[in-house]
Coordinates of all heavy atoms in Angstrom, one line a residue:
M17 N 89.8 91.4 84.3 CA 90.6 92.1 85.2 C 90.5 93.6 85.0 O 90.4 94.0 83.9 CB 92.1 91.7 85.0 CG 93.0 92.4 85.9 SD 94.7 91.9 85.8 CE 94.7 90.6 87.0
K18 N 90.4 94.3 86.1 CA 90.2 95.8 86.0 C 91.5 96.5 86.5 O 92.2 96.0 87.4 CB 89.1 96.1 87.0 CG 88.7 97.6 87.1 CD 87.4 97.8 87.7 CE 87.4 97.5 89.2 NZ 86.2 98.0 89.9
T19 N 91.8 97.6 85.8 CA 93.0 98.4 86.1 C 92.5 99.7 86.8 O 91.6 100.3 86.3 CB 93.8 98.8 84.9 OG1 94.2 97.6 84.2 CG2 95.0 99.6 85.2
I20 N 93.1 100.0 88.0 CA 92.7 101.1 88.7 C 94.0 102.0 88.9 O 95.0 101.5 89.4 CB 92.1 100.8 90.1 CG1 90.9 99.9 89.9 CG2 91.8 102.0 90.9 CD1 90.4 99.3 91.2
A21 N 93.9 103.3 88.5 CA 95.0 104.2 88.7 C 95.1 104.7 90.1 O 94.0 105.0 90.7 CB 94.9 105.3 87.7
V22 N 96.3 104.7 90.7 CA 96.4 105.2 92.1 C 97.6 106.2 92.1 O 98.5 106.1 91.2 CB 96.7 104.1 93.1 CG1 95.5 103.1 93.2 CG2 97.9 103.4 92.9
N23 N 97.6 107.1 93.0 CA 98.7 108.0 93.2 C 99.8 107.3 93.8 O 99.7 106.8 95.0 CB 98.2 109.2 94.1 CG 99.3 110.2 94.3 OD1 100.5 110.0 93.9 ND2 98.9 111.3 94.9
P24 N 101.0 107.1 93.1 CA 102.1 106.4 93.7 C 102.9 107.1 94.7 O 103.9 106.6 95.3 CB 102.9 106.0 92.4 CG 102.7 107.2 91.5 CD 101.2 107.6 91.8
Q25 N 102.6 108.4 94.9 CA 103.4 109.2 95.8 C 103.5 108.6 97.2 O 102.5 108.3 97.9 CB 102.8 110.6 95.9 CG 103.7 111.6 96.7 CD 103.2 113.0 96.7 OE1 102.1 113.3 96.2 NE2 104.0 113.9 97.1
N26 N 104.7 108.5 97.7 CA 105.1 108.0 99.0 C 104.7 106.5 99.3 O 104.7 106.1 100.4 CB 104.4 108.9 100.1 CG 105.0 110.3 100.1 OD1 106.2 110.5 99.9 ND2 104.1 111.2 100.3
T27 N 104.4 105.8 98.3 CA 104.0 104.4 98.5 C 105.2 103.5 99.1 O 104.9 102.6 99.8 CB 103.5 103.7 97.2 OG1 104.5 103.8 96.2 CG2 102.2 104.3 96.8
S28 N 106.4 103.9 98.8 CA 107.5 103.2 99.4 C 108.0 103.7 100.7 O 108.7 103.1 101.5 CB 108.7 103.1 98.4 OG 109.2 104.3 98.2
Q29 N 107.5 104.9 101.1 CA 107.9 105.6 102.3 C 106.8 105.5 103.4 O 107.1 105.5 104.6 CB 108.2 107.0 102.1 CG 109.5 107.2 101.2 CD 110.0 108.6 101.2 OE1 109.8 109.3 102.1 NE2 110.7 108.9 100.1
D30 N 105.5 105.3 103.0 CA 104.5 105.1 104.0 C 104.5 103.6 104.4 O 104.6 102.7 103.5 CB 103.1 105.4 103.4 CG 102.9 106.9 103.1 OD1 103.7 107.7 103.7 OD2 102.0 107.3 102.3
C31 N 104.5 103.4 105.7 CA 104.5 102.0 106.2 C 103.2 101.3 105.9 O 102.1 101.8 106.2 CB 104.8 101.9 107.7 SG 104.9 100.2 108.3
S32 N 103.2 100.2 105.2 CA 102.0 99.4 104.8 C 101.4 98.8 106.0 O 100.3 98.3 106.0 CB 102.3 98.4 103.7 OG 103.3 97.5 104.2
N33 N 102.1 98.7 107.1 CA 101.6 98.0 108.3 C 100.9 99.0 109.3 O 99.9 98.7 109.8 CB 102.7 97.3 109.1 CG 102.2 96.4 110.2 OD1 101.4 95.6 110.0 ND2 102.7 96.7 111.4
C34 N 101.6 100.2 109.5 CA 101.0 101.1 110.5 C 100.7 102.5 110.0 O 100.0 103.3 110.6 CB 102.0 101.3 111.7 SG 103.5 102.2 111.3
G35 N 101.1 102.8 108.7 CA 100.9 104.1 108.1 C 101.9 105.2 108.4 O 101.8 106.3 107.9
G36 N 102.9 104.8 109.3 CA 103.9 105.8 109.6 C 104.8 106.2 108.4 O 105.0 105.3 107.5
K37 N 105.3 107.4 108.4 CA 106.2 107.8 107.3 C 107.6 107.4 107.7 O 108.1 107.7 108.8 CB 106.1 109.3 107.2 CG 107.0 109.9 106.1 CD 106.5 109.8 104.7 CE 105.6 110.9 104.4 NZ 105.0 110.7 103.1
V38 N 108.3 106.7 106.7 CA 109.6 106.3 106.9 C 110.5 106.8 105.7 O 110.6 106.0 104.7 CB 109.7 104.8 107.1 CG1 111.2 104.3 107.4 CG2 108.8 104.2 108.1
P39 N 111.0 108.0 105.8 CA 111.7 108.6 104.6 C 113.0 107.7 104.4 O 113.6 107.3 105.4 CB 112.1 110.0 105.1 CG 111.2 110.3 106.2 CD 110.8 109.0 106.9
K40 N 113.3 107.5 103.1 CA 114.5 106.8 102.8 C 115.0 107.2 101.4 O 114.2 107.6 100.6 CB 114.3 105.3 102.9 CG 113.2 104.7 102.0 CD 113.0 103.3 102.2 CE 112.1 102.9 103.3 NZ 110.7 103.3 103.3
E41 N 116.3 107.1 101.2 CA 116.9 107.4 99.8 C 116.5 106.2 98.9 O 116.3 105.1 99.4 CB 118.4 107.6 99.9 CG 118.8 108.7 100.8 CD 118.4 110.1 100.2 OE1 118.4 110.2 99.0 OE2 118.0 111.0 101.0
L42 N 116.6 106.4 97.6 CA 116.3 105.4 96.6 C 117.2 104.1 96.7 O 116.8 103.0 96.4 CB 116.4 105.9 95.2 CG 115.2 106.8 94.8 CD1 115.4 107.4 93.4 CD2 113.9 106.0 94.8
N43 N 118.4 104.3 97.2 CA 119.3 103.2 97.3 C 119.0 102.3 98.5 O 119.6 101.2 98.6 CB 120.8 103.6 97.3 CG 121.1 104.4 98.6 OD1 120.3 105.1 99.1 ND2 122.4 104.4 99.0
I44 N 118.2 102.7 99.4 CA 117.8 101.8 100.5 C 116.7 100.9 100.1 O 115.6 101.4 99.7 CB 117.3 102.7 101.7 CG1 118.4 103.7 102.1 CG2 116.9 101.8 102.9 CD1 119.7 103.1 102.5
R45 N 116.9 99.6 100.0 CA 116.0 98.7 99.4 C 115.1 97.9 100.5 O 114.3 97.1 100.1 CB 116.8 97.6 98.6 CG 117.6 98.2 97.5 CD 117.0 99.2 96.6 NE 115.7 98.8 96.0 CZ 114.8 99.6 95.6 NH1 114.9 100.9 95.6 NH2 113.7 99.1 95.1
T46 N 115.3 98.2 101.7 CA 114.5 97.6 102.8 C 113.7 98.6 103.5 O 114.2 99.7 103.9 CB 115.5 96.8 103.8 OG1 116.2 95.9 103.1 CG2 114.7 96.1 104.9
H47 N 112.5 98.3 103.7 CA 111.6 99.1 104.5 C 111.6 98.6 106.0 O 111.2 97.5 106.3 CB 110.1 99.1 104.0 CG 109.2 99.8 104.9 ND1 109.0 101.1 104.9 CD2 108.3 99.3 105.8 CE1 108.1 101.5 105.8 NE2 107.6 100.4 106.4
S48 N 112.2 99.4 106.9 CA 112.3 99.0 108.3 C 111.7 100.2 109.1 O 112.2 101.2 109.2 CB 113.8 98.9 108.6 OG 113.9 98.6 110.0
C49 N 110.5 99.9 109.6 CA 109.7 100.9 110.3 C 110.0 101.0 111.8 O 109.9 100.1 112.5 CB 108.2 100.6 110.1 SG 107.1 101.8 110.9
P50 N 110.5 102.2 112.2 CA 110.8 102.4 113.6 C 109.5 102.6 114.4 O 109.6 102.5 115.6 CB 111.6 103.7 113.6 CG 111.0 104.5 112.4 CD 110.7 103.4 111.4
H51 N 108.3 102.7 113.8 CA 107.1 102.9 114.5 C 106.5 101.6 114.9 O 106.0 101.5 116.1 CB 106.1 103.7 113.6 CG 106.6 105.0 113.1 ND1 106.9 106.1 113.9 CD2 107.0 105.3 111.8 CE1 107.4 107.1 113.1 NE2 107.5 106.6 111.8
C52 N 106.5 100.6 114.0 CA 105.8 99.3 114.4 C 106.8 98.2 114.3 O 106.4 97.1 114.8 CB 104.6 99.1 113.4 SG 105.1 98.7 111.7
G53 N 108.0 98.3 113.8 CA 109.0 97.3 113.8 C 109.0 96.4 112.6 O 109.8 95.5 112.5
I54 N 108.1 96.5 111.6 CA 108.0 95.6 110.5 C 109.3 95.9 109.6 O 109.8 97.0 109.5 CB 106.7 95.8 109.6 CG1 106.6 94.7 108.6 CG2 106.7 97.2 109.0 CD1 105.3 94.6 108.0
V55 N 109.8 94.8 109.1 CA 111.0 94.9 108.2 C 110.6 94.0 106.9 O 110.5 92.8 107.0 CB 112.3 94.3 108.8 CG1 113.4 94.3 107.9 CG2 112.6 95.1 110.1
I56 N 110.4 94.7 105.8 CA 110.1 94.0 104.5 C 110.8 94.7 103.4 O 111.4 95.8 103.5 CB 108.6 94.0 104.2 CG1 108.0 95.4 104.1 CG2 107.9 93.2 105.3 CD1 106.5 95.4 103.8
D57 N 110.8 94.1 102.2 CA 111.4 94.7 101.0 C 110.7 96.0 100.7 O 109.5 96.1 100.8 CB 111.3 93.7 99.9 CG 111.9 94.2 98.6 OD1 113.1 94.1 98.5 OD2 111.1 94.7 97.8
R58 N 111.4 97.0 100.3 CA 110.9 98.3 100.0 C 109.8 98.2 98.9 O 108.7 98.8 99.0 CB 112.0 99.2 99.5 CG 111.5 100.6 99.0 CD 112.6 101.3 98.3 NE 112.2 102.6 97.9 CZ 112.8 103.7 98.4 NH1 113.9 103.6 99.1 NH2 112.4 104.9 98.0
D59 N 110.0 97.4 97.8 CA 109.1 97.2 96.7 C 107.8 96.5 97.2 O 106.7 96.8 96.7 CB 109.7 96.5 95.5 CG 110.9 97.4 94.9 OD1 110.8 98.6 95.0 OD2 111.8 96.7 94.4
L60 N 108.0 95.5 98.1 CA 106.8 94.8 98.6 C 105.9 95.8 99.4 O 104.7 95.8 99.3 CB 107.2 93.6 99.5 CG 106.1 92.9 100.1 CD1 105.1 92.3 99.1 CD2 106.7 91.7 101.0
N61 N 106.6 96.6 100.2 CA 105.9 97.6 101.0 C 105.1 98.6 100.1 O 103.9 98.8 100.3 CB 106.8 98.5 101.8 CG 106.2 99.5 102.7 OD1 105.4 99.2 103.6 ND2 106.4 100.8 102.4
A62 N 105.7 99.0 99.0 CA 105.0 99.9 98.0 C 103.9 99.2 97.4 O 102.8 99.7 97.2 CB 106.0 100.4 97.0
A63 N 104.1 97.9 97.0 CA 103.0 97.1 96.3 C 101.8 97.0 97.2 O 100.7 97.1 96.8 CB 103.6 95.8 95.9
I64 N 102.0 96.7 98.5 CA 100.9 96.6 99.4 C 100.2 97.9 99.5 O 98.9 97.9 99.5 CB 101.4 96.1 100.8 CG1 102.0 94.7 100.7 CG2 100.3 96.3 101.9 CD1 102.8 94.3 102.0
N65 N 100.9 99.0 99.6 CA 100.3 100.3 99.7 C 99.5 100.6 98.4 O 98.3 101.2 98.5 CB 101.3 101.4 99.9 CG 101.7 101.5 101.4 OD1 101.0 101.2 102.3 ND2 103.0 101.9 101.6
I66 N 100.0 100.3 97.2 CA 99.3 100.5 96.0 C 98.0 99.7 95.9 O 97.0 100.2 95.5 CB 100.2 100.2 94.8 CG1 101.3 101.3 94.7 CG2 99.5 100.1 93.5 CD1 102.5 101.0 93.8
K67 N 98.1 98.4 96.3 CA 96.9 97.6 96.3 C 95.9 98.1 97.2 O 94.7 98.2 96.9 CB 97.3 96.2 96.8 CG 96.0 95.2 96.8 CD 96.3 94.0 97.7 CE 96.5 94.4 99.1 NZ 95.5 94.0 100.1
N68 N 96.3 98.6 98.4 CA 95.3 99.1 99.4 C 94.7 100.4 98.9 O 93.5 100.6 99.1 CB 96.0 99.4 100.7 CG 96.3 98.1 101.5 OD1 95.7 97.0 101.2 ND2 97.2 98.1 102.4
R69 N 95.4 101.2 98.2 CA 94.9 102.5 97.6 C 93.9 102.1 96.5 O 92.9 102.8 96.3 CB 96.0 103.4 97.1 CG 96.8 104.0 98.2 CD 97.9 104.9 97.6 NE 98.7 105.4 98.7 CZ 99.7 106.3 98.5 NH1 100.0 106.7 97.3 NH2 100.4 106.7 99.5
A70 N 94.2 101.1 95.7 CA 93.3 100.7 94.6 C 92.0 100.2 95.1 O 91.0 100.5 94.4 CB 94.0 99.6 93.8
V71 N 91.9 99.6 96.2 CA 90.6 99.1 96.7 C 90.0 100.1 97.7 O 89.0 99.8 98.3 CB 90.8 97.7 97.4 CG1 91.2 96.6 96.3 CG2 91.7 97.7 98.5
G72 N 90.7 101.2 97.9 CA 90.1 102.3 98.7 C 90.2 102.2 100.2 O 89.4 102.7 100.9
H73 N 91.2 101.4 100.6 CA 91.5 101.2 102.0 C 92.7 102.0 102.5 O 93.7 102.1 101.9 CB 91.7 99.8 102.3 CG 90.6 98.9 102.2 ND1 89.4 99.0 102.9 CD2 90.4 97.8 101.4 CE1 88.6 98.1 102.5 NE2 89.1 97.3 101.6
S74 N 92.5 102.6 103.6 CA 93.7 103.2 104.3 C 94.4 102.1 105.0 O 93.9 100.9 105.0 CB 93.2 104.2 105.4 OG 92.6 103.5 106.4
V75 N 95.6 102.3 105.5 CA 96.3 101.2 106.2 C 95.5 100.6 107.3 O 95.4 99.4 107.4 CB 97.7 101.8 106.7 CG1 98.4 100.8 107.6 CG2 98.6 102.1 105.6
L76 N 94.9 101.5 108.1 CA 94.2 100.9 109.3 C 93.0 100.2 108.9 O 92.6 99.1 109.5 CB 93.8 102.1 110.2 CG 95.0 102.8 110.9 CD1 94.5 103.9 111.8 CD2 95.9 101.8 111.6
K77 N 92.3 100.6 107.8 CA 91.1 99.8 107.3 C 91.6 98.5 106.8 O 91.0 97.4 107.0 CB 90.4 100.6 106.2 CG 89.4 101.6 106.7 CD 88.7 102.2 105.6 CE 87.8 103.4 106.0 NZ 87.1 104.0 104.8
A78 N 92.7 98.5 106.0 CA 93.2 97.3 105.4 C 93.7 96.3 106.4 O 93.6 95.1 106.3 CB 94.3 97.6 104.4
R79 N 94.2 96.8 107.5 CA 94.7 96.0 108.6 C 93.7 95.6 109.6 O 94.0 95.1 110.7 CB 95.9 96.6 109.3 CG 97.0 97.1 108.4 CD 97.9 96.0 108.0 NE 98.5 95.3 109.1 CZ 99.1 94.1 109.0 NH1 99.1 93.6 107.8 NH2 99.5 93.5 110.0
G80 N 92.4 96.0 109.4 CA 91.4 95.7 110.3 C 91.4 96.6 111.6 O 91.0 96.1 112.6
A81 N 91.9 97.8 111.4 CA 92.0 98.8 112.5 C 92.9 98.2 113.6 O 92.8 98.7 114.8 CB 90.7 99.2 113.0
R82 N 93.8 97.3 113.4 CA 94.7 96.7 114.4 C 95.9 97.5 114.4 O 96.6 97.7 113.4 CB 94.9 95.3 114.1 CG 95.7 94.6 115.2 CD 96.1 93.2 114.8 NE 97.5 93.3 114.2 CZ 97.8 92.8 113.0 NH1 96.9 92.1 112.3 NH2 99.0 92.9 112.5
R83 N 96.4 98.0 115.5 CA 97.7 98.6 115.6 C 98.6 97.8 116.4 O 98.3 97.2 117.4 CB 97.5 100.0 116.4 CG 96.9 101.0 115.6 CD 96.9 102.3 116.4 NE 96.4 103.4 115.6 CZ 97.2 104.3 114.9 NH1 98.5 104.2 115.0 NH2 96.7 105.2 114.2
D84 N 99.8 97.6 115.9 CA 100.9 96.8 116.6 C 101.5 97.7 117.6 O 101.6 98.9 117.4 CB 101.9 96.3 115.6 CG 101.4 95.3 114.7 OD1 100.4 94.6 115.0 OD2 101.9 95.1 113.6
T85 N 101.9 97.1 118.7 CA 102.5 97.9 119.8 C 104.0 98.2 119.5 O 104.5 99.1 120.1 CB 102.5 97.1 121.1 OG1 103.3 95.9 120.9 CG2 101.1 96.7 121.5
G86 N 104.6 97.5 118.6 CA 106.0 97.8 118.3 C 106.9 97.1 119.2 O 108.1 97.2 119.2
A87 N 106.3 96.3 120.2 CA 107.1 95.6 121.2 C 108.0 94.5 120.6 O 109.0 94.2 121.1 CB 106.2 95.1 122.3
T88 N 107.5 93.9 119.5 CA 108.2 92.8 118.9 C 108.4 93.2 117.4 O 107.6 93.7 116.8 CB 107.5 91.5 118.9 OG1 106.2 91.6 118.3 CG2 107.3 91.0 120.4
K89 N 109.6 92.9 116.9 CA 109.9 93.1 115.5 C 109.5 91.9 114.7 O 109.6 90.8 115.1 CB 111.4 93.4 115.3 CG 111.9 94.6 116.0 CD 112.9 95.3 115.2 CE 113.2 96.6 115.9 NZ 113.3 97.7 115.0
R90 N 108.9 92.2 113.6 CA 108.5 91.1 112.7 C 109.1 91.3 111.3 O 109.4 92.4 110.9 CB 106.9 91.2 112.5 CG 106.2 91.1 113.7 CD 104.7 91.2 113.5 NE 104.5 92.2 112.5 CZ 103.3 92.7 112.2 NH1 102.2 92.2 112.7 NH2 103.1 93.6 111.3
E91 N 109.5 90.2 110.7 CA 110.1 90.2 109.4 C 109.2 89.4 108.5 O 108.9 88.3 108.7 CB 111.5 89.6 109.4 CG 112.1 89.8 108.1 CD 113.6 89.5 108.2 OE1 114.2 89.6 109.3 OE2 114.2 89.3 107.1
A92 N 108.7 90.0 107.4 CA 107.9 89.4 106.4 C 108.8 88.6 105.5 O 110.0 88.8 105.3 CB 107.1 90.4 105.6
H93 N 108.2 87.5 104.9 CA 108.9 86.7 104.0 C 108.9 87.4 102.6 O 107.9 87.9 102.2 CB 108.2 85.3 103.8 CG 108.2 84.6 105.1 ND1 109.3 83.9 105.6 CD2 107.3 84.4 106.1 CE1 109.0 83.4 106.7 NE2 107.8 83.7 107.1
T94 N 110.0 87.4 102.0 CA 110.1 88.0 100.7 C 110.5 87.0 99.6 O 111.1 86.0 100.0 CB 111.1 89.2 100.6 OG1 112.4 88.7 101.0 CG2 110.7 90.3 101.6
I95 N 110.1 87.2 98.4 CA 110.4 86.3 97.3 C 111.9 86.6 96.9 O 112.3 87.7 96.6 CB 109.5 86.6 96.1 CG1 108.0 86.3 96.6 CG2 109.8 85.7 95.0 CD1 107.0 86.7 95.6
A96 N 112.6 85.5 96.9 CA 114.0 85.6 96.4 C 114.1 85.9 94.9 O 113.3 85.4 94.1 CB 114.8 84.3 96.7
S97 N 114.9 86.9 94.6 CA 115.1 87.2 93.2 C 115.8 86.1 92.4 O 116.7 85.5 93.0 CB 115.8 88.6 93.0 OG 117.0 88.5 93.6
A98 N 115.4 86.0 91.2 CA 116.0 84.9 90.4 C 117.3 85.3 89.8 O 117.7 86.4 89.6 CB 115.0 84.5 89.3

């Protein structure tokens, strides 16, 4: 296993789905993007961004250059905390 250092700045505020900036206070635990409509856990959003940075992909490269229209809201499945 290889460890790759990435810049963690804005990983919870940049949308992992569309790349839009979604500013939020630390007490807000859900990432709800007004740009593309995705709603996921804030930490999951950050983890996806960190993974994509580690492998050298921008959001659009990681998503296959697909842009959502935002016409429908999507909710990702999150792992329930124990």
Side-chain angles (χ1 to χ4, degrees):
M17 180 176 270
K18 179 165 69 168
T19 301
I20 302 170
V22 299
N23 181 351
Q25 185 173 11
N26 296 320
T27 54
S28 64
Q29 295 192 26
D30 292 344
C31 181
S32 61
N33 189 56
C34 74
K37 175 80 84 186
V38 185
K40 58 184 85 64
E41 298 294 324
L42 285 174
N43 64 328
I44 305 300
R45 304 310 308 161
T46 301
H47 172 78
S48 180
C49 182
H51 309 287
C52 70
I54 192 168
V55 177
I56 60 176
D57 181 80
R58 176 193 185 118
D59 295 333
L60 177 59
N61 181 65
I64 293 167
N65 283 328
I66 290 167
K67 179 198 65 112
N68 289 340
R69 288 180 186 184
V71 296
H73 291 300
S74 68
V75 169
L76 296 179
K77 281 185 182 176
R79 305 283 305 163
R82 186 186 92 230
R83 285 186 176 260
D84 291 336
T85 63
T88 59
K89 295 219 177 224
R90 300 180 319 190
E91 185 165 341
H93 299 281
T94 57
I95 299 171
S97 57

